[in-house]
Amino acid sequence: MNRLALETSPYLLQHKDNPVDWYPWGPEALARAQAEDKPILLSVGYSTCHWCHVMAHESFEDPELAARLNALFVNVKVDREERPDLDQIYQTAQQMLSGRSGGWPLTLFLAPDQTPFFGGTYFPREARFGLPGFARLIESVAYAWANRRGEIVEQNASLRAALAGVAPAAAEELTRERAPIERALAANVANFDDANGGYGGAPKFPRPADLEFLLAQGDAAARGQVLFSLRKMAEGGLFDQLGGGFYRYSVDAMWMIPHFEKMLYDNGPLLGLYADAWALTGEPLFEQAAAMTAAWLEREMTSPDGLFHSAQDADSEHEEGKFYVWRPDQARALLSPDEYAVAARHWGLDRPANFEGQAWHLRVAKPLAEVAGRLGIAEAEAARHLAGARAKLFAARGRRIPPGRDDKVLTGWNALMVRGLARAARRFGRADWLAAAWRALDALRNRLWRDGRLLASYKDGQANLNAYLDDHAYLLAALLETMQAGYRGVDMAWARALADALLVDFEDTAAGGFYFTRHDHEALIQRPKPAYDQATPSGNGMAALSLGRLGLLTGDARYGAAAERCLRLFQAAMRDQPLAHGTLLTALAETLQPPRLIVLRGPRDEVAAWQAVANPRCPPGTLLLAPADDCRGLPEPLAKPVRAGVAAYVCEGANCLPEIVQMTELTAILSGYAMN
């Protein structure tokens, strides 16, 4: 075993038996590179990454190739999920060096001062796919290091200068106009796939941060696009039709065939979006997608202490998708004739194979009503047959060898799931989902909040690594969402502590905005201030949005001021590239038009009845909280009088309506978001 045997990361542990002399990132590896004047081979990946597995089998498990790597380089493995700070920096650097988009595995060669001078993503052992062979590539890199050092030093200086210029250097006065928001709406509308939903072509990602931005703006065209996209995703192969949960992306434009990883960071936001879509429409499809995703989370992704695992692999038995796909004869053998007749038509088993020409991945090929009509049966009867087929196929699938699971706990990804779970809990009135959200929050606070300092990763009883901007911002957002589902004073106290940490430990008080790493983090070749939404929301966007909302709930002007400083710094970026900054634009929209705040006070049971009616109708720009009548220490905006019956206090900015004591008056205010 190599040094990775001492790590807790599932990805690093996958490589502990490699003949490559791997180091984790840290002082020992960096010092050795400096002392021996050797370049560093930096390999960044994650445990459920298909092409990471392929490169490992082809190259890192090969004793002959490993011997050359050990002789020529200091070899460093990084789990990009535990060290997103390193991944951000070196993905950006790879794109600057190669002019190509990044990805995983990320393969870079660094000078001992940590500056990369050559790299790419996946390299096959021998040349193919238009890529150079890794075995010859490492010899060429070693030759360049030995014989072309001057060129490398010159290039590295230019690269460091380019990295330093990525973040905006100075803020502008906030113009307080909706123009960037309107440009982003128009650009999304223009980029919409009218046939299949979603935006752009293959590969097609769900992009929940963009969908959330579009749904929040109240634009009818954008709302229609989001709802259409969510329908297509839930009916497609992107959604696990048997077990629930969404895969990472679709390899085609039709959402038919996914890349079969399931990531926590996608499923949390999508759960919240499907709950919002159901609140808007009342469509059973949206309710089913949310319920099946929550069931998948509880069944397969929840640890004994209530925290959530990170991901499920695309591969089982070294084959991508093998666990999930079917042949018609397999399904026919398990189902009754009536069940098969419905399932085959509904899920496309009566059509040609759609996965690598020899297997069938289930998706809604024909609506159930149409299937029932073709078979001459009632739709309710077809639904019963389909439910029976789903249960039998799911049970049979459970006897297969399952994909691997990355069971580490990441603070930020758990926060994204808690946020989505809490939103679904209040939309659907699911007390069990709220209890799961609370349990996860309490476990995060007990295991990853140490002496006022948040940690990023937890596994096997060990919490480690300083938490990043995203961890703090996402967790603050999760607490704000959960307090709307069920108010607890302990959550408000933690929200304020996290917000204070953002201001003290991450904010650039001179220029505005938030660094990705704490002020006392180790020195790296760049200190990013991430503004773009990617697979997950921008940390700066989520910080600005959440701080603005917390300022509204607490009356503490520091939080809103920090949010505005962040928006001022990125105003030019939002203006120039609105499509990339949906979360920041949502924060901008709420700065221009602060959210409506509704506070319910009164006897607990009666308040709960009002919440049950109001929560499905609450639009994104409204915060509704209901502290218990015996709750003490409330911040001033929430400390409304408690009457004999329920009273609703509705404020927009500094303007507050007279207290409302009739539920019909409150539902009239919320009627714009009612089911239709």
Side-chain angles (χ1 to χ4, degrees):
M1 292 188 291
N2 54 46
R3 293 168 181 81
L4 302 185
L6 302 176
E7 298 298 307
T8 59
S9 157
Y11 176 63
L12 298 187
L13 290 172
Q14 285 175 354
H15 296 271
K16 66 182 174 61
D17 296 315
N18 290 170
V20 178
D21 185 19
W22 290 116
Y23 287 79
W25 180 276
E28 185 182 4
L30 300 176
R32 182 184 165 197
Q34 290 278 2
E36 298 181 12
D37 191 36
K38 273 188 174 180
I40 297 166
L41 166 62
L42 178 67
S43 177
V44 183
Y46 58 101
S47 71
T48 59
C49 164
H50 173 73
W51 288 103
C52 301
H53 300 333
V54 173
M55 191 166 179
H57 295 322
E58 290 179 344
S59 296
F60 301 143
E61 295 172 6
D62 183 311
E64 181 182 348
L65 184 51
R68 292 302 293 156
L69 289 171
N70 295 339
L72 298 173
F73 306 103
V74 176
N75 303 295
V76 175
K77 263 286 177 193
V78 166
D79 183 338
R80 69 104 175 175
E81 296 169 352
E82 286 197 337
R83 293 301 304 263
D85 54 336
L86 296 171
D87 186 56
Q88 280 192 51
I89 292 168
Y90 289 111
Q91 292 285 354
T92 301
Q94 191 276 143
Q95 291 170 37
M96 289 178 171
L97 288 169
S98 69
R100 298 178 181 177
S101 60
W104 301 280
L106 179 65
T107 308
L108 283 176
F109 298 90
L110 321 182
D113 69 354
Q114 306 176 33
T115 309
F117 60 90
F118 183 78
T121 53
Y122 162 75
F123 291 105
R125 192 192 191 289
E126 306 298 338
R128 69 177 188 277
F129 308 137
L131 297 168
F134 193 59
R136 295 192 63 179
L137 176 68
I138 62 173
E139 302 293 343
S140 300
V141 170
Y143 178 87
W145 178 252
N147 297 284
R148 300 173 62 184
R149 184 75 62 90
E151 295 174 45
I152 290 173
V153 169
E154 184 177 347
Q155 175 184 277
N156 284 2
S158 298
L159 180 66
R160 279 181 173 265
L163 288 171
V166 168
E172 303 176 355
E173 285 300 317
L174 200 61
T175 58
R176 300 188 180 279
E177 59 182 24
R178 282 186 56 87
I181 298 168
E182 299 302 329
R183 281 198 293 273
L185 287 169
N188 273 292
V189 168
N191 197 35
F192 181 63
D193 182 343
D194 294 304
N196 304 297
Y199 298 87
K204 187 176 281 185
F205 290 79
R207 294 170 56 179
D210 290 341
L211 298 180
E212 186 170 336
F213 159 71
L214 292 169
L215 204 59
Q217 301 316 307
D219 179 86
R223 177 181 290 183
Q225 290 183 356
V226 171
L227 294 174
F228 183 74
S229 299
L230 292 173
R231 288 185 196 102
K232 289 295 187 180
M233 287 192 287
E235 292 174 341
L238 188 77
F239 184 67
D240 183 348
Q241 300 293 332
L242 298 183
F246 290 85
Y247 304 105
R248 185 164 164 244
Y249 65 87
S250 173
V251 301
D252 55 76
M254 300 177 291
W255 307 112
M256 183 185 294
I257 301 300
H259 182 44
F260 285 89
E261 294 168 283
K262 288 183 184 177
M263 314 299 293
L264 192 68
Y265 64 69
D266 286 321
N267 281 281
L270 286 170
L271 177 55
L273 277 165
Y274 276 91
D276 285 344
W278 174 82
L280 275 167
T281 66
E283 290 183 25
L285 174 66
F286 296 142
E287 182 176 15
Q288 180 186 48
M292 288 180 67
T293 299
W296 162 78
L297 176 72
E298 179 183 9
R299 183 183 65 246
E300 300 182 33
M301 298 297 286
T302 302
S303 72
D305 50 8
L307 293 165
F308 304 125
H309 302 305
S310 293
Q312 288 177 320
D313 207 328
D315 300 4
S316 56
E317 301 180 79
H318 304 296
E319 292 183 29
E320 182 174 6
K322 183 174 182 179
F323 179 76
Y324 297 104
V325 299
W326 293 87
R327 295 191 315 272
D329 62 303
Q330 293 174 315
R332 191 189 297 272
L334 292 164
L335 305 180
S336 72
D338 289 340
E339 289 169 341
Y340 184 78
V342 172
R345 289 168 173 81
H346 184 62
W347 285 326
L349 290 168
D350 61 341
R351 300 187 179 194
N354 61 2
F355 183 66
E356 298 183 350
Q358 56 188 2
W360 282 253
H361 177 55
L362 306 184
R363 87 286 188 199
V364 176
K366 197 171 287 184
L368 194 60
E370 185 178 336
V371 172
R374 290 288 181 91
L375 294 174
I377 60 177
E379 188 174 350
E381 182 180 352
R384 287 195 300 273
H385 291 321
L386 186 68
R390 177 179 279 114
K392 290 178 182 178
L393 294 179
F394 178 71
R397 194 178 79 175
R399 294 189 287 272
R400 298 175 178 176
I401 296 174
R405 182 179 64 194
D406 187 324
D407 60 354
K408 71 176 177 294
V409 169
L410 295 171
T411 299
W413 294 12
N414 268 250
L416 289 173
M417 178 53 77
V418 167
R419 183 172 181 249
L421 191 59
R423 183 176 297 174
R426 67 185 179 92
R427 291 298 196 198
F428 291 106
R430 291 290 298 263
D432 54 335
W433 295 354
L434 177 58
W438 275 338
R439 187 178 179 216
L441 281 178
D442 292 343
L444 288 170
R445 186 166 47 245
N446 291 333
R447 290 163 175 76
L448 289 118
W449 180 247
R450 303 282 178 81
D451 301 319
R453 193 179 185 104
L454 189 63
L455 299 175
S457 181
Y458 177 81
K459 188 176 183 295
D460 298 335
Q462 299 180 49
N464 63 352
L465 301 171
N466 289 329
Y468 306 99
L469 168 63
D470 290 1
D471 299 306
H472 289 76
Y474 297 168
L475 188 50
L476 176 55
L479 287 162
L480 294 174
E481 189 68 52
T482 308
M483 283 190 282
Q484 294 180 73
Y487 186 88
R488 301 190 305 177
V490 66
D491 293 335
M492 176 59 82
W494 199 18
R496 298 187 78 154
L498 287 167
D500 291 343
L502 282 170
L503 270 58
V504 172
D505 297 324
F506 291 88
E507 189 185 14
D508 181 345
T509 55
F514 300 90
Y515 292 107
F516 188 72
T517 53
R518 292 172 57 102
H519 296 323
D520 60 0
H521 197 72
E522 68 174 294
L524 301 172
I525 63 169
Q526 185 197 26
R527 195 176 178 204
K529 285 184 185 175
Y532 295 99
D533 290 327
Q534 299 188 49
T536 54
S538 149
N540 268 281
M542 195 65 86
L545 179 63
S546 300
L547 287 168
R549 291 182 172 186
L550 184 65
L552 183 69
L553 297 183
T554 62
D556 192 328
R558 296 178 303 138
Y559 302 141
E564 186 160 322
R565 288 193 293 271
C566 180
L567 293 171
R568 288 175 54 206
L569 179 68
F570 294 111
Q571 180 171 249
M574 289 187 280
R575 182 177 60 241
D576 296 341
Q577 295 179 294
L579 266 178
H581 295 93
T583 306
L584 274 166
L585 289 171
T586 303
L588 174 63
E590 293 200 358
T591 299
L592 301 178
Q593 178 63 53
R596 176 195 293 140
L597 174 60
I598 301 175
V599 180
L600 300 179
R601 301 305 307 275
R604 191 185 300 267
D605 291 344
E606 294 179 45
V607 166
W610 281 52
Q611 282 180 285
V613 173
N615 271 328
R617 293 168 166 80
C618 240
T622 294
L623 304 175
L624 189 150
L625 289 93
D629 52 2
D630 58 352
C631 196
R632 300 289 180 263
L634 289 170
E636 188 275 332
L638 304 183
K640 305 301 184 185
V642 178
R643 309 297 188 196
V646 179
Y649 301 87
V650 180
C651 297
E652 296 192 31
N655 301 316
C656 296
L657 299 177
E659 65 181 40
I660 294 170
V661 296
Q662 297 295 325
M663 188 183 294
T664 53
E665 292 183 59
L666 180 60
T667 55
I669 291 173
L670 300 174
S671 61
Y673 204 73
M675 291 183 186
N676 52 52

